Amino acid sequence: MIVLGYNGFSRGAELFGRLYGATGVGRNLLVGHDAAAALVVDGELVAAVEEERLSRVKKTSDFPAQAIKWCLDSAGVDLDQVDVFAFPWRFSPAVAEEMISQICDSDLPVTAKFDALRSAGEVYAGMFSREAVYSDFVQHTGYELDPNKLTLVPHHLAHLMCGAYLAGGGDAAFLVSDGRAETLSSVMGELRNGVVSLFEGGTVPMTSSLGVAYGRITRYLGFVPNNDEYKVMGLAAYGPPPQHNPLLERVVRLHEDGSYTISIPMDIGAYYALFDSLFGGDSEKREQFDFRVKVAGLAQHMVEAITAHQLRTLTAASDLDTLLFEGGLALNCVANTKMLERSSFTGMEVSFGASDPGVAIGAAVYTAGLRNRPADAVTTPYLGPSYDESQVLDALAEYADRVEWQEEPDAAAVAERTAELLAGKNVVGWFQGRAEFGPRALGNRSILANPAFPDIKDIINIRVKHREPFRPFAPVVLESEAPRVFELGKKTSSPYMTFVFPVRKEYRERIPGACHVDGTARIQTVDERQNPELARLLRAFTARTEVPCLLNTSFNVAGEPIVCSPRDALECFLATEIDYLVIDRFVITKKEG
């Protein structure tokens, strides 16, 4: 059986821009963002790629035409060989009725209700309905799809199935929390013997979305909502935990069933005024670092308090030991660690596809009937395009007037040469094998450096990544070495940078470049099965320097997608102050002048 999962709406940016005033990158960040495709063949996830990696439009919500084509081509599959096409949104007639009821029951004036109904109707007819989804596929692929082959999967179910499949199956309690699905923003329940049981009491409507609330504070602080929330999380570490939180006192209400209500106006001007009154802010203060740290700390505390409230209900209702956490909120790695350590769960899994790229995977594996995978299977995020030696040489030839290169004889020599470069204060672009999938998986398209240098973060933030100087970087470490360097608590590994751990005191001075201001690090653990090239490099680097990890950040600059092809890597290398570029067995430098 062959199943193609995909996420993205071709009209999303246009409709939300015209009807709701969304502009710039915000047009792509409402519904269908992180467009992607994933292919399951005979029970195995064989390919997955985000559309942005190929189109080079960051966070695109567009129909993933290039991603679909690449997935099929990479597996040698034609469209007519696909048994089912799975789409991770299901705006059924019942959902549409609920959307209408929410508008009619709102406190809006009558004329505003009619305007809202007209806009919602146009979005539903042009984007959400089964007919619109079907027409979108036919128009952008040119393939006359049998309508019976199109399956619409509820959004939160797609999130859950992605996490369950990548965690290796098995029984687990679950929490899914994101900005919005069809009408809800958060659900909880259990997965037992492949059967999903939803705890109705813990469901949270879209109107009280924690993800949206955090996004509005993100905008208030001058960042892009539904994109830059991790910056707010990083800022929060620069201040002490709040003694009291006006958000919890005046905006959030927690209910006994594990749900909650968040009351923040939809209008930007209205919620800016609310936040100014809550935080003592104004247009000048919002530019001040200390004020932004304070507000970020309150926002982060709100997330931690609400998720802790949800977990109290979930643990009371379930006797299972493992928690699956998926959805955009699952990218808040600071909250994740506290959720696990303060709960009765012995294990917690957050997948590399936790946010919306993963729903393409989830829709595919759910439709394929997959609930479990072999316990000894290697879970890998390296599901995207790779490039052979001739393609690498073609790209190098295209830039031969600006770069020069040396070819190493084998993988061991590549590791030794790269370790030698990283022993100094050099920044290295690292490009190997297949591209990663999702926002929390690195290792094949990475920027690497030596964390022993205290100022290495500033060098990369300012001269390479072109981003805010307060932003931390994650260390990558061999899984076998991680407990020696970091306090892992209940975790034994963290391969996708979805948890934060204290750096052991004896190592803080040895790897200052990988420590955040609060002495923690968002680590990526690596083993030989999942990424042999990176594991080999780590061993060579540690043997040479006695430094147990490498600083590891995504191979891109601010505002750009992570590089995918050798040409992308060369363009980024030449546009930044990266010192060396390693593509497969080629070590590349810039020509003088």
Side-chain angles (χ1 to χ4, degrees), residues 25-42:
V25 71
R27 294 174 303 143
N28 285 324
L29 298 180
L30 296 169
V31 177
H33 57 83
D34 299 305
L39 188 67
V40 171
V41 178
D42 297 332

Side-chain angles (χ1 to χ4, degrees), residues 263-279:
S263 301
I264 296 177
M266 291 180 60
D267 178 73
I268 293 177
Y271 68 70
Y272 269 48
L274 171 65
F275 292 153
D276 279 345
S277 69
L278 290 177
F279 307 138

Side-chain angles (χ1 to χ4, degrees), residues 175-257:
L175 174 64
V176 179
S177 184
D178 58 6
R180 64 160 295 164
E182 290 80 6
T183 60
L184 300 174
S185 66
S186 185
V187 297
M188 66 173 70
E190 288 184 337
L191 182 64
R192 287 183 186 264
N193 299 317
V195 177
V196 176
S197 299
L198 199 66
F199 297 165
E200 292 289 347
T203 60
V204 179
M206 193 176 66
T207 50
S208 288
S209 170
L210 177 57
V212 170
Y214 201 78
R216 287 174 178 162
I217 297 174
T218 299
R219 185 192 293 275
Y220 175 79
L221 291 175
F223 303 123
V224 178
N226 212 2
N227 185 68
D228 290 347
E229 282 79 358
Y230 59 94
K231 298 181 183 180
V232 178
M233 180 183 70
L235 263 180
Y238 283 82
Q243 297 300 308
H244 69 92
N245 192 336
L247 291 167
L248 297 177
E249 296 163 3
R250 293 177 53 186
V251 169
V252 176
R253 284 189 296 123
L254 305 178
H255 307 305
E256 289 186 3
D257 62 2

Side-chain angles (χ1 to χ4, degrees), residues 454-517:
D455 61 343
I456 197 69
K457 286 189 292 188
D458 297 331
I459 290 171
I460 298 178
N461 270 327
I462 297 169
R463 290 165 40 190
V464 177
K465 299 284 281 189
H466 305 156
R467 66 182 202 176
E468 298 89 349
F470 63 81
R471 301 268 297 278
F473 290 109
V476 60
V477 60
L478 287 170
E479 184 178 308
S480 58
E481 291 294 294
R484 183 165 64 89
V485 186
F486 306 97
E487 297 177 18
L488 299 186
K490 294 180 182 179
K491 296 294 288 181
T492 58
S493 65
S494 183
Y496 311 124
M497 299 187 298
T498 47
F499 294 86
V500 165
F501 306 101
V503 181
R504 294 191 183 277
K505 288 183 179 179
E506 59 268 32
Y507 281 95
R508 290 181 188 175
E509 291 186 0
R510 294 177 62 182
I511 55 169
C515 294
H516 198 22
V517 65

